[in-house]
Amino acid sequence: SQQGEEDPQALSIQEGENATMNCSYKTSINNLQWYRQNSGRGLVHLILIRSNEREKHSGRLRVTLDTSKKSSSLLITASRAADTASYFCAVYSGGGADGLTFGKGTHLIIQP
Amino acid sequence: IAGITQAPTSQILAAGRRMTLRCTQDMRHNAMYWYRQDLGLGLRLIHYSNTAGTTGKGEVPDGYSVSRANTDDFPLTLASAVPSQTSVYFCASSAEPLSPQHFGDGTRLSIL
């Protein structure tokens, strides 16, 4: 069953603006990961945040995790046209023996 | 370049035929996974393997089988293809079950 659910389903912003995507999940997790998928390609890992962490940064990416609300957010600052892609959150629950459970993704369009 | 190789990249198959999707990784990762991606449903786990010689069922295993005879290869077999198995199939690997996953570029499979 789907755990991570992203919001919004689609987002269109101007180049240079910040983009925020949200993810909610249903059960306790070991870690939460964000991935990017360009059209016609495989997913690329962006950032992993563990259940005992609240915030992580990687370049222009900032991820937060609120385990009490079972939610996470991905912020992309100073967006670029190359950031146009679909973004997925995914969670490892249980003992990690059953792979990632993905949400349906947010399709982000950066207008030049 | 290290990574995951999937073959074929696309295939059209008649219903009832047997088909094996190939996946090879050269990163010496312990864990490997098969997902299917359908429009509006995101990625769903079919089967996984935490280490060579072991496999497990994911969320949607029916109609599919896998084997993990060695570290590098993780083929996915459709014994008797049905139209509902039309999808994009992604193979992934990770150093350990909880680690970030590396994805191939997918196999686009159409069952007629």
Side-chain angles (χ1 to χ4, degrees):
Chain A
S1 60
Q2 228 76 31
Q3 267 245 43
E5 294 290 339
E6 291 88 346
D7 170 57
Q9 292 185 344
L11 179 63
S12 180
I13 61 173
Q14 294 296 122
E15 194 167 20
E17 295 179 340
N18 296 341
T20 299
M21 288 158 272
N22 302 297
C23 168
S24 61
Y25 57 91
K26 298 176 182 176
T27 65
S28 61
I29 61 171
N30 183 288
N31 68 54
L32 184 146
Q33 303 179 26
W34 284 90
Y35 288 79
R36 184 188 73 232
Q37 184 179 33
N38 291 95
S39 181
R41 302 299 302 273
L43 281 72
V44 175
H45 178 260
L46 296 175
I47 198 163
L48 179 154
I49 186 165
R50 294 180 173 78
S51 60
N52 61 353
E53 297 176 313
R54 292 297 168 259
E55 187 171 311
K56 259 190 131 169
H57 297 255
S58 177
R60 294 184 295 114
L61 305 181
R62 172 179 171 250
V63 168
T64 62
L65 178 65
D66 187 334
T67 53
S68 67
K69 296 181 180 178
K70 293 185 169 58
S71 67
S72 174
S73 67
L74 170 67
L75 169 68
I76 303 174
T77 60
S79 63
R80 305 167 182 169
D83 294 329
T84 294
S86 292
Y87 292 81
F88 295 87
C89 71
V91 298
Y92 263 124
S93 55
D98 54 355
L100 288 166
T101 302
F102 283 85
K104 297 177 183 179
T106 292
H107 185 53
L108 176 65
I109 297 173
I110 309 300
Q111 307 277 5
Chain B
I1 298 175
I4 297 231
T5 302
Q6 291 187 237
T9 55
S10 65
Q11 182 78 41
I12 299 173
L13 189 69
R17 298 295 296 270
R18 180 184 179 91
M19 175 75 188
T20 295
L21 308 185
R22 300 185 298 278
C23 175
T24 299
Q25 55 108 353
D26 60 3
M27 297 171 282
R28 307 303 293 172
H29 283 172
N30 283 319
M32 297 188 74
Y33 314 86
W34 276 104
Y35 296 90
R36 58 178 290 173
Q37 185 176 31
D38 302 290
L39 194 63
L41 293 177
L43 282 86
R44 292 179 292 168
L45 182 68
I46 304 171
H47 285 286
Y48 66 92
S49 168
N50 286 339
T51 189
T54 69
T55 63
K57 294 181 179 180
E59 181 185 354
V60 288
D62 293 343
Y64 306 95
S65 63
V66 292
S67 61
R68 186 88 184 278
N70 57 61
T71 297
D72 298 341
D73 301 300
F74 192 42
L76 176 73
T77 297
L78 289 67
S80 179
V82 295
S84 62
Q85 292 177 311
T86 293
S87 187
V88 182
Y89 291 86
F90 287 98
C91 180
S93 72
S94 63
E96 300 298 336
L98 294 174
S99 303
Q101 294 185 9
H102 297 252
F103 282 77
D105 278 336
T107 293
R108 286 144 189 81
L109 185 62
S110 295
I111 313 297
L112 304 179

